[in-house]
Amino acid sequence: MRTITRALAGIGACLAAFHFELLVPARAQEADWQKVDETLGRKPMVSDDVRRYGFPRSDLSVTLDGVTIKPALALGGWVAFKPGHGGAMVMGDLVLLETEINPVMAKMIASGLEITAVHNHLLRASPATFYMHVAGHGDPVKLASAIHDALAESKTPLTVAAPAGPPPAVDLDTAKLDQIIGVKGQANGGVYQFNVKRRDPITQEGMALTPVGAMGVATGINFQPTGAGKAAITGDFVLTGDEVNPVILALRTHGIEVTALHSHMLDEQPRIFFMHFWANDDAIKLAEGLRAALDKTASTKG
């Protein structure tokens, strides 16, 4: 009887180990991130467990109200990978010309990726640019290949050019801007950028979308110097429904144009709306207007 009991225990242990092997490898196995880098043709910015790849439209010369827009101001496409659900979640925002939308979308759909939004961010820009938000989950290398093949249907640069020289200086009182906005900004390609977090967590498919900046769910504010202390500003506020109209009123009261209001995702919790804006005026004055709008939201300071 002891022999039979030991044998049954051994079989049970084997079955348990087999069941464990079925469940664990997809989670425990390390993704081949080097292969993802090679497929996308660039290195990511890594924040905690998120790898964010930039696809700036450096091939475009876009002007708006006499301002030549730097890629970091409003032409910075990106995709971000976050491990989860036995593989990775991917989210992104691709910058496209009107003629590129349908070819890129067709490739995305054929690869099983989701299109979660297509819309403008700016008004009066020449040429007009549109923004395609995408999502998916699965094997990171397969996701990267699908994104690469879709972007190949556009003229988005798929190789990273060597820097032509040092980045242009940000000729603004950035310390004063930091003080007014309430968080520390960062220079990027001649543009001074802020990411302002919300106090409440945002989730999708049961996963917390963190870090919020890397995953595109922090309020983004960009300043591009236009001379004599002035700046062109754009970006997007991340808002709950009850915050939308108070923020519209605050922005318009301070001479800041609201250029778009829409969703970026399909099933996030809580429901979030994204409000884009534009102005070109004294940078300190605009920062004060943006701060007034931020005060209408559940945003953090510091």
Side-chain angles (χ1 to χ4, degrees):
M1 181 62 71
R2 290 180 182 174
T3 302
I4 294 172
T5 301
R6 285 197 298 269
L8 289 173
I11 292 170
C14 289
L15 288 173
F18 178 69
H19 182 65
F20 181 78
E21 287 294 328
L22 286 176
L23 294 177
V24 172
R27 294 193 294 267
Q29 184 178 4
E30 286 293 326
D32 189 349
W33 291 114
Q34 182 176 342
K35 183 65 174 176
V36 173
D37 296 353
E38 292 170 358
T39 301
L40 294 176
R42 64 210 60 222
K43 292 290 186 182
M45 293 289 293
V46 179
S47 302
D48 294 342
D49 63 343
V50 173
R51 300 169 71 87
R52 178 169 166 138
Y53 298 82
F55 288 90
R57 289 305 300 261
S58 55
D59 59 309
L60 298 178
S61 179
V62 178
T63 60
L64 171 51
D65 295 347
V67 177
T68 299
I69 295 174
K70 295 183 183 297
L73 182 68
L75 304 174
W78 57 273
V79 294
F81 290 76
K82 182 178 179 70
H85 299 307
M89 169 194 288
V90 67
M91 294 173 58
D93 182 12
L94 310 177
V95 183
L96 302 171
L97 297 175
E98 184 175 0
T99 55
E100 297 171 340
I101 293 172
N102 281 307
V104 171
M105 183 182 291
K107 277 285 190 179
M108 289 282 182
I109 293 170
S111 299
L113 292 170
E114 292 183 329
I115 309 300
T116 61
V118 179
H119 47 231
N120 69 295
H121 288 183
L122 305 170
L123 301 174
R124 304 180 304 280
S126 179
T129 52
F130 296 86
Y131 301 78
M132 181 182 292
H133 294 265
V134 300
H137 62 271
D139 176 78
V141 176
K142 292 179 180 177
L143 292 170
S145 181
I147 291 164
H148 177 275
D149 291 349
L151 282 174
E153 297 295 315
S154 72
K155 293 186 178 179
T156 302
L158 295 179
T159 57
V160 179
V170 176
D171 186 19
L172 296 170
D173 186 349
T174 55
K176 185 67 173 177
L177 295 179
D178 291 348
Q179 178 187 355
I180 295 169
I181 299 299
V183 299
K184 175 67 177 172
Q186 183 174 354
N188 176 24
V191 175
Y192 201 62
Q193 300 180 325
F194 294 93
N195 278 312
V196 183
K197 302 175 183 179
R198 292 189 60 84
R199 294 196 293 270
D200 48 317
I202 301 169
T203 64
Q204 182 169 274
E205 298 178 1
M207 291 178 59
L209 297 181
T210 56
V212 291
M215 296 301 288
V217 289
T219 290
I221 296 173
N222 301 327
F223 287 75
Q224 178 180 313
T226 55
K230 295 175 65 176
I233 60 167
T234 190
D236 54 354
F237 279 78
V238 181
L239 305 169
T240 53
D242 60 327
E243 295 170 343
V244 167
N245 281 286
V247 170
I248 288 176
L249 181 59
L251 291 173
R252 290 183 60 85
T253 298
H254 289 85
I256 300 171
E257 182 180 12
V258 175
T259 59
L261 171 65
H262 44 232
S263 61
H264 287 183
M265 298 169 284
L266 299 177
D267 55 3
E268 75 283 0
Q269 294 295 328
R271 194 79 175 106
I272 293 295
F273 300 89
F274 294 78
M275 185 183 297
H276 299 266
F277 56 90
W278 170 265
N280 180 21
D281 204 339
D282 178 79
I284 302 303
K285 171 187 168 183
L286 293 177
E288 291 170 345
L290 292 165
R291 182 64 254 172
L294 286 167
D295 287 341
K296 303 297 182 182
T297 72
S299 298
T300 63
K301 273 190 173 184

